[in-house]
Amino acid sequence: MGKFIRLSKGFDINLKGKPAAQVSTPEQADTVAIKPSDFQGLYMPKVVVNPGDTVKAGSPLFHDKKFSDIAFTSPVSGEVVEVKRGDKRKLLEVKILADRTTEYVQFKKFSVSDLASAPTEELKKQMLESGVWANLIQRPYGVIADPTATPKAIHISAFDTAPAAPDYNILFKGQEQYFQAGVDVLKRFTKGAVHVNTHASMELSTVFSQVKGAQINKFQGKHPTGCVGVQIHHLDPINKGETVWTITPTGVIQIGKLFLTGNYDASKIIALTGPCVKNPQYYKTVVGASVKKLIKDNLSEENCRIISGNILTGTSIGSEGHIGFHDLQVTVLSEGNYHEFLGWILPSVKKLSFSRAFGLLSFLNSGEYNLDTNTHGEERAFVATGVFEKVTPMDVYPVQLLKAILANDVDEMEALGIYEVIEEDLALCEFVDVSKQPIQSILREGLELMRTS
Amino acid sequence: MKFLRDQLDKVKHNFEKGGKLEKYYYAYEAFDTFLFAPNTTTPEKGAHIRDAVDLKRMMMTVILAMVPCLIFGTWNVGYQHFLAIGKSATVGEMFMVGIWQVVPIIIVSYGVGLGIEFIFATLRRHPVNEGYLVTGMLIPLVMPPDIPLWQVAVATAFAVVIGKEAFGGTGMNVVNIALTARAFLYFAYPTDISGDVWSYIAEGEKAVAGFSGATPLAVAAQSTGNVVEDFASFGSGWAEGMYSIQNLFLGMRPGSIGETSTLMCLIGGLILVLTGIGSFRIIVSVFAGAYAMGLFLNLIGGNPFMEMPAHYHLIIGGLAFGAVFMATDPVTAAHTGTGKWIYGLLIGMFTVLIRVFNPAYPEGIMLAILLMNVFAPLIDYFVINANKNRRLKRATV
């Protein structure tokens, strides 16, 4: 019995470079990489391949020393070219040179009725071995789901309100049967509901509207309404001691394909967006693909930043980088490393601001913004009050929570609701902050302190 | 611009690590960022874009909101001067008298305050923070027109060092800095900040016959009969009708430089609320609290000041200025939305209480705001506790 929830707080950022509604199949990416940094909560990744080894799609590349059941597998078949390590031999990425045609490790195939009768442990084991388990994220803390835990619910956000976010109707067109199979499998892992959270006014794809066995909820509001943490807060908040799992629709479809076809099919559609992209559109590619071919001759300037993910929560990957495991978009912005004469006082319509302070006339401009990475000011102590609460549609006081984290006060953090948020939920606070504090990284420090204490 | 940028870049290496003037880096950086917005970019992980507003722009908005009070107050100093000596003058001459009194106070306030901030930034090795941009303008506006400049300097130094830097600088202070400066003078040198100092009379001039330097608050506090009648009859012979309701609202009366005109304060308040920088909750609730307490005292009655109609409280004294510019200081006010309503209401109520019951000094807004600054964290504590209890109640474990 789905709920309808209307949220008034938040802020939509109208970024230039939204993707055009066409999907191309580009030249196949030559390299694919899996990075441990895409996953929170890894104790110490242990590599099981060497450079020169041949792998198939679904062969294990590394696993965590602590949770050794969870395999991180190769998305494509090919040859391992590099096991890149950084300082103190920290594993940075495992790079694979992709074959022309993909060979898959064969796992057990199930029919739709088999899925209902197969024991849960068997389903879980296949997911762990094949590499699709990494799609499941556990709250609190936003880490990889613990196979031994039983979540009270599983949430899937079926829309994205981030700046220039891809349209999920285009991303998942035609995947109805795999999404349904994925939902059927996920239902086996929880006693509670599998929630599919949709946007009330956007046209709803049949992938989500026709799903059976899941609770379909409707949300209306500005960003961060699309963030699954906000949705969980309003449907069924996480209390101390409870766990909830979240997964993107891509992950659900991967699970469906794993059981119905027996293959780890890591293909996905992503959106290349942003003001520096000449032709922003959708591309058929694979998990962890290199962006080199996508951006070739496609950027309108040299001095730009290539981000895997959206501009609020993504990671800068560079022109030779690889798309993150969970990410469904790549955004390209220009770097803002320029000085601006009297930049703090001259009036402007072109600068985006949540505030209407002197000279910031962006509230008059409803068009698109060509944003860059300039911080527009230096880091200061917290001064302005009441602003974060306007962009956090949850009953959480962000400033007090952040101050508790900065003071390493574990009891206070817990009492103020740190179990309910991860970085993406407070990303808008980092955007509107007058004092330019690194809020998401402060929050991650707090989460790690809570998790490991 | 390119010339300036090149000049700044040329000398930069002297201030960086290893340069001769390494320890003055933050002083150099303050000038650099004053002229040019810095070219820093966001880190590689996290939000890659930032809002265009920064602390400098926020402070600039508050200063702009104070400009109506400043201009009107400067003119009013001259106007009161000519009224007191019984001579007529042009608007220009009134401005000249006002400027001659007010500008030195502003220069001393900014000079001493920013000087101390630069020294602390150099000693503590952090950037010069913009908090003083607003305080430096607020301090002159709450001073009487002929306050000795050395007193302004000492008060500013005390307020910045003890009130702000001792707690950690901008964003860390407990009490409002401008009010700390005024409170310092009130307790340390009371004769120059209370009594007959609110009308400036130049050296060599004599006050006109029948002149009284009493502010509306003084008249109300010393009233033996009916305050409204005393207001009506004030100034007969030299300043007819100066304390009528219209004039009290417009502000052409003696008082601190910036606080006399309720109209100008409301314009400033409107600017702050429309830009979203000042909290409308605090402004509205201060006025509401004062009016409510005034009505309540009207009901009980007792002395003429208590029986003064409640709406007069909103236009006499520094209530309007305090409500719009002092109480709304985000660092020292309550931080939560609910807390701001309670904070403002209590400030309004205490202001009227202190005015009416304090035998020594009829102004209450300064002490009320300072008192509530100290209590603001307690108000927030209860609001946050309610949030924590909501969370605990729904926990089943």
Side-chain angles (χ1 to χ4, degrees):
Chain A
M1 222 235 355
K3 292 199 188 150
F4 178 81
I5 294 171
R6 189 189 301 273
L7 299 173
S8 56
K9 296 190 189 158
F11 183 62
D12 279 331
I13 296 175
N14 193 351
L15 182 67
K16 183 167 165 234
K18 299 190 194 48
Q22 67 182 69
V23 185
S24 314
T25 312
E27 221 181 300
Q28 194 205 18
D30 26 345
T31 57
V32 161
I34 300 290
K35 300 172 263 186
S37 56
D38 285 340
F39 311 102
Q40 292 292 341
L42 291 186
Y43 177 62
M44 189 183 299
K46 198 160 177 298
V47 184
V48 296
V49 291
N50 293 309
D53 289 353
T54 324
V55 288
K56 290 190 190 165
S59 319
L61 295 176
F62 62 88
H63 57 250
D64 187 34
K65 222 163 156 194
K66 210 169 181 191
F67 291 107
S68 46
D69 314 338
I70 309 175
F72 295 89
T73 61
S74 171
V76 291
S77 60
E79 185 192 333
V80 177
V81 284
E82 194 187 348
V83 173
K84 196 161 164 199
R85 291 189 186 270
D87 288 339
K88 296 186 191 170
R89 282 184 55 85
K90 178 174 166 188
L91 180 65
L92 293 178
E93 65 181 24
V94 178
K95 214 187 317 191
I96 299 145
L97 188 66
D99 284 341
R100 291 265 127 226
T101 47
T102 314
E103 275 179 53
Y104 297 92
V105 172
Q106 191 59 44
F107 296 98
K108 184 167 168 200
K109 247 161 96 159
F110 290 73
S111 71
V112 174
S113 49
D114 285 343
L115 279 181
S117 54
T120 317
E121 282 311 309
E122 189 185 343
L123 298 175
K124 195 186 281 190
K125 188 159 173 295
Q126 183 155 327
M127 283 172 65
L128 288 168
E129 287 173 345
S130 60
V132 303
W133 188 266
N135 284 295
L136 281 167
I137 296 178
Q138 178 166 305
R139 299 241 183 168
Y141 313 131
V143 293
I144 294 201
D146 178 359
T148 58
T150 313
K152 74 168 180 174
I154 298 181
H155 288 257
I156 306 164
S157 176
F159 67 103
D160 192 350
T161 47
D167 182 353
Y168 279 24
N169 294 342
I170 297 178
L171 292 183
F172 306 118
K173 196 158 162 193
Q175 309 284 350
E176 283 85 349
Q177 57 162 329
Y178 298 118
F179 190 80
Q180 180 67 59
V183 168
D184 292 336
V185 171
L186 287 172
K187 268 171 71 84
R188 306 290 298 281
F189 294 121
T190 175
K191 291 198 196 70
V194 172
H195 293 266
V196 174
N197 302 320
T198 65
H199 194 281
S201 39
M202 279 190 218
E203 193 198 314
L204 191 57
S205 157
T206 46
V207 173
F208 306 120
S209 62
Q210 290 176 1
V211 74
K212 294 183 189 42
Q215 179 175 328
I216 302 177
N217 305 296
K218 287 196 188 306
F219 282 84
Q220 175 82 40
K222 305 182 214 168
H223 189 66
T225 309
C227 287
V228 70
V230 172
Q231 294 162 357
I232 295 173
H233 180 90
H234 287 280
L235 289 170
D236 185 14
I238 304 172
N239 303 309
K240 181 177 175 177
E242 294 175 342
T243 41
V244 167
W245 287 353
T246 70
I247 183 169
T248 58
T250 314
V252 179
I253 291 169
Q254 277 183 12
I255 296 176
K257 282 186 182 163
L258 172 68
F259 288 107
L260 291 184
T261 64
N263 294 331
Y264 172 43
D265 185 352
S267 63
K268 65 180 180 183
I269 299 178
I270 61 120
L272 180 63
T273 66
C276 283
V277 178
K278 285 190 202 159
N279 295 314
Q281 57 171 303
Y282 297 85
Y283 292 99
K284 255 205 188 72
T285 178
V286 87
V287 166
S290 156
V291 293
K292 203 155 118 191
K293 291 209 176 128
L294 292 178
I295 59 176
K296 194 167 150 198
D297 298 328
N298 203 2
L299 295 184
S300 55
E301 64 176 271
E302 291 275 313
N303 186 21
C304 57
R305 181 183 291 199
I306 296 150
I307 300 165
S308 173
N310 63 54
I311 53 180
L312 291 173
T313 57
T315 316
S316 169
I317 53 176
S319 53
E320 312 249 321
H322 298 86
I323 306 175
F325 185 87
H326 296 110
D327 294 329
L328 296 172
Q329 82 182 102
V330 173
T331 320
V332 186
L333 293 177
S334 49
E335 287 283 9
N337 51 354
Y338 52 83
H339 283 280
E340 200 186 334
F341 183 61
L342 293 183
W344 55 277
I345 191 175
L346 291 176
S348 161
V349 200
K350 293 220 196 70
K351 289 190 191 162
L352 177 64
S353 174
F354 180 65
S355 127
R356 297 179 295 273
F358 169 70
L360 291 176
L361 304 164
S362 63
F363 61 97
L364 295 173
N365 176 8
S366 59
E368 296 180 324
Y369 288 90
N370 182 349
L371 299 171
D372 60 44
T373 59
N374 192 302
T375 55
H376 299 294
E378 303 176 294
E379 199 175 309
R380 295 279 183 262
F382 286 119
V383 170
T385 58
V387 191
F388 289 0
E389 286 79 0
K390 287 190 197 150
V391 293
T392 311
M394 296 192 275
D395 186 18
V396 171
Y397 283 100
V399 180
Q400 279 75 13
L401 177 60
L402 289 166
K403 287 186 179 174
I405 297 174
L406 289 169
N408 288 335
D409 187 341
V410 169
D411 293 322
E412 191 75 4
M413 284 189 235
E414 183 181 285
L416 288 171
I418 198 169
Y419 295 137
E420 302 176 50
V421 293
I422 62 170
E423 295 100 312
E424 61 173 21
D425 305 320
L426 296 186
L428 262 185
C429 294
E430 195 173 359
F431 169 69
V432 299
D433 187 12
V434 176
S435 307
K436 317 292 174 193
Q437 294 261 350
I439 286 169
Q440 289 183 64
S441 79
I442 294 174
L443 181 59
R444 179 44 60 183
E445 273 174 32
L447 288 167
E448 291 303 293
L449 182 62
M450 290 298 299
R451 190 173 66 86
T452 54
S453 70
Chain B
M1 324 307 164
K2 182 123 178 48
F3 172 72
L4 271 173
R5 185 70 245 154
D6 291 340
Q7 292 300 314
L8 282 166
D9 286 336
K10 241 200 282 194
V11 292
K12 189 169 186 178
H13 67 97
N14 288 325
F15 296 96
E16 285 173 331
K17 279 222 176 338
K20 280 186 297 174
L21 302 167
E22 185 186 331
K23 64 176 180 169
Y24 300 108
Y25 173 69
Y26 288 109
Y28 160 82
E29 195 238 23
F31 283 115
D32 188 343
T33 52
F34 181 79
L35 287 171
F36 290 93
N39 63 351
T40 39
T41 52
T42 47
E44 300 209 327
K45 187 135 174 59
H48 295 270
I49 51 163
R50 293 304 168 95
D51 198 311
V53 73
D54 68 340
L55 213 53
K56 283 193 173 76
R57 211 180 262 270
M58 200 176 122
M59 298 297 164
M60 203 55 216
T61 310
V62 183
I63 292 180
L64 270 177
M66 284 196 273
V67 161
C69 283
L70 177 66
I71 297 180
F72 180 88
T74 309
W75 170 82
N76 191 45
V77 169
Y79 174 72
Q80 294 300 320
H81 172 259
F82 286 109
L83 210 54
I85 61 176
K87 291 195 189 144
S88 62
T90 62
V91 174
E93 286 170 336
M94 293 179 193
F95 258 115
M96 284 316 298
V97 170
I99 288 175
W100 191 243
Q101 286 300 108
V102 174
V103 173
I105 303 178
I106 297 181
I107 293 176
V108 167
S109 162
Y110 272 112
V112 171
L114 286 176
I116 295 178
E117 292 253 349
F118 270 75
I119 292 172
F120 270 90
T122 307
L123 287 174
R124 284 188 180 156
R125 304 221 190 303
H126 65 66
V128 178
N129 279 323
E130 296 85 356
Y132 195 74
L133 289 181
V134 168
T135 313
M137 184 60 82
L138 281 177
I139 291 180
L141 291 178
V142 295
M143 293 288 158
D146 59 356
I147 189 96
L149 292 177
W150 66 268
Q151 286 189 6
V152 177
V154 173
T156 306
F158 175 83
V160 176
V161 174
I162 305 291
K164 187 153 99 166
E165 294 298 335
F167 289 95
T170 300
M172 314 283 190
N173 46 308
V174 179
V175 285
N176 190 303
I177 304 304
L179 286 180
T180 308
R182 191 174 205 247
F184 173 80
L185 286 180
Y186 173 60
F187 289 109
Y189 305 105
T191 50
D192 287 302
I193 203 162
S194 50
D196 249 7
V197 296
W198 304 105
S199 282
Y200 165 63
I201 297 179
E203 297 231 349
E205 299 281 1
K206 221 164 50 99
V208 77
F211 170 76
S212 160
T215 58
L217 278 174
V219 169
Q222 291 152 12
S223 170
T224 46
N226 183 303
V227 175
V228 184
E229 279 171 18
D230 288 351
F231 279 164
S233 60
F234 183 87
S236 57
W238 59 281
E240 288 291 341
M242 185 148 78
Y243 289 171
S244 63
I245 277 201
Q246 300 88 308
N247 208 38
L248 287 175
F249 182 75
L250 283 175
M252 297 190 286
R253 59 162 174 86
S256 304
I257 297 172
E259 55 134 52
T260 55
S261 172
T262 313
L263 177 64
M264 294 298 148
C265 291
L266 286 178
I267 292 176
L270 197 65
I271 295 176
L272 287 181
V273 170
L274 285 178
T275 53
I277 301 292
S279 165
F280 79 90
R281 291 187 172 110
I282 297 179
I283 298 175
V284 166
S285 55
V286 172
F287 280 114
Y291 190 65
M293 182 54 87
L295 279 179
F296 176 69
L297 291 174
N298 286 164
L299 280 175
I300 339 180
N303 65 38
F305 204 167
M306 287 162 81
E307 286 160 15
M308 179 180 78
H311 55 271
Y312 273 93
H313 275 297
L314 304 182
I315 51 179
I316 64 176
L319 180 81
F321 190 82
V324 172
F325 295 110
M326 299 294 191
T328 51
D329 173 17
V331 177
T332 52
H335 291 182
T336 54
T338 318
K340 284 174 183 167
W341 287 113
I342 303 173
Y343 168 81
L345 268 171
L346 287 174
I347 287 180
M349 285 162 53
F350 273 113
T351 303
V352 173
L353 268 181
I354 295 176
R355 276 181 181 176
V356 156
F357 289 120
N358 182 355
Y361 185 60
E363 180 48 278
I365 187 76
M366 170 180 80
L367 298 169
I369 293 181
L370 286 173
L371 181 70
M372 292 317 299
N373 280 162
V374 175
F375 274 95
L378 187 64
I379 297 175
D380 281 336
Y381 173 79
F382 283 111
V383 176
I384 302 284
N385 242 36
N387 173 292
K388 291 188 200 172
N389 286 334
R390 279 196 295 275
R391 192 164 288 112
L392 279 176
K393 246 202 281 195
R394 59 167 203 241
T396 46
V397 176

